[in-house]
């Protein structure tokens, strides 16, 4: 009798352990860039156990030039990623089966800015000046679209390829810099420089920025995992928006060189971009996707149109 009881107890414990192990599905999220408050909502979702509460064990990995999110996720070893909406469309036009699930930054943080002392305030002031250009990405796309809207002839500008270090701007070698309102602009101000900002939405250019995506395969084979991930992620972002100080404190855990003051400033600068209107965090609509595709095709960044109904889905936002 005692043997049967012990055996039953052991079996029950093992069964419980097995069930618990089966409940936590491990997935990887590949970010668009290095760890920073630009991705605070994901960190909040992890640190506050929003992912764990729905049975997910999420590994958050930084992106960057050496780890492009689309390629990493499309390769099959990672399940979710963050990239620009334009990269989703370009990838699908090349046969890469990625699908947008939610737009995190509905207002793009990309701007063109100059030192205030230069007196440069509008694209028409760029003529004859040294203009920094980040070649090949959505930064160049938006920059060229702004020039077109403003009626500025690019042949009258001195375009200089640049990367990410803003020292050429601060030193005066470049007059206009392509950067993020939530990062490079803050960095310049932190170094004591006042800046003038040209915002693309003021010229009718409003391209979705950071977008959460997965693959067709994940949607087909594990829709429940996708739904849990999206739900927990948006809960994390909603929490981060409501408490930016806490979000910044959580963010600094993800990088030894991150500072609370800078990450908090980044978080606060992000708020109007994350939720520019009354729509819920993560919202997206067909009209904006169609406008983005037209912009990409007109500029020659996307060669052929894609079926937008397959490029993004709002099914997991409901």
């Amino acid at each position: 009798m005692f043997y049967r009881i012990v055996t039953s107890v052991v079996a029950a414990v093992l069964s419980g352990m097995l069930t618990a192990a089966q409940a936590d599905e491990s997935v990887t999220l590949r970010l668009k860039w290095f760890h920073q408050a630009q991705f605070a909502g994901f960190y909040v979702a992890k640190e506050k156990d929003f992912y764990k509460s729905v049975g997910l064990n999420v590994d958050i990995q930084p992106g960057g030039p050496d780890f492009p999110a689309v390629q990493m996720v499309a390769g099959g070893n990672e399940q979710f990623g963050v990239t620009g909406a334009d990269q989703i469309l370009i990838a699908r036009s090349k046969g890469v089966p990625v699908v947008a699930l939610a737009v995190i930054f509905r207002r793009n943080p990309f701007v063109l800015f100059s030192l205030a002392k230069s007196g440069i305030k509008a694209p028409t002031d760029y003529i004859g000046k040294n203009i920094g250009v980040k070649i090949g990405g959505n930064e160049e796309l938006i920059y060229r679209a702004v020039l077109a809207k403003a009626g500025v002839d690019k042949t009258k500008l001195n375009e200089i390829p640049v990367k990410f270090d803003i020292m050429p701007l601060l030193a005066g070698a470049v007059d206009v810099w392509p950067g993020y309102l939530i990062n490079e602009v803050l960095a310049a101000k932190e170094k004591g420089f006042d800046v003038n900002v040209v915002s693309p939405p003021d010229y009718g250019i409003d391209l979705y920025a950071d977008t959460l995506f997965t693959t067709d395969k994940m949607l087909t084979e594990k829709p429940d995992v996708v739904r849990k991930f999206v739900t927990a992620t948006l809960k994390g972002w909603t929490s981060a928006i409501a408490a930016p100080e806490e979000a910044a404190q959580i963010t600094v855990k993800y990088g030894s060189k991150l500072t609370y003051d800078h990450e908090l400033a980044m978080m606060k600068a992000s708020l109007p971009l994350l939720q520019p209107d009354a729509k819920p965090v993560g919202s997206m609509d067909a009209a904006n996707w169609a406008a983005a595709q037209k912009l990409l095709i007109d500029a020659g960044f996307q060669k052929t149109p894609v079926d937008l109904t397959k490029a993004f889905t709002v099914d997991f936002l409901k």
Side-chain angles (χ1 to χ4, degrees), residues 37-46 51 232-233 235-237 240 247 267:
Q38 181 179 347
F39 311 108
F42 299 107
Y43 309 141
V44 171
K46 183 175 176 67
Y51 290 129
T233 291
K235 185 177 180 181
W237 273 107
M267 190 66 215

Side-chain angles (χ1 to χ4, degrees), residues 95-114:
V96 182
V98 288
V99 187
L101 301 168
V103 171
I104 306 303
F105 276 78
R106 283 187 284 131
R107 179 61 56 85
N108 204 301
F110 177 79
V111 296
L112 299 162
F113 69 103
S114 54

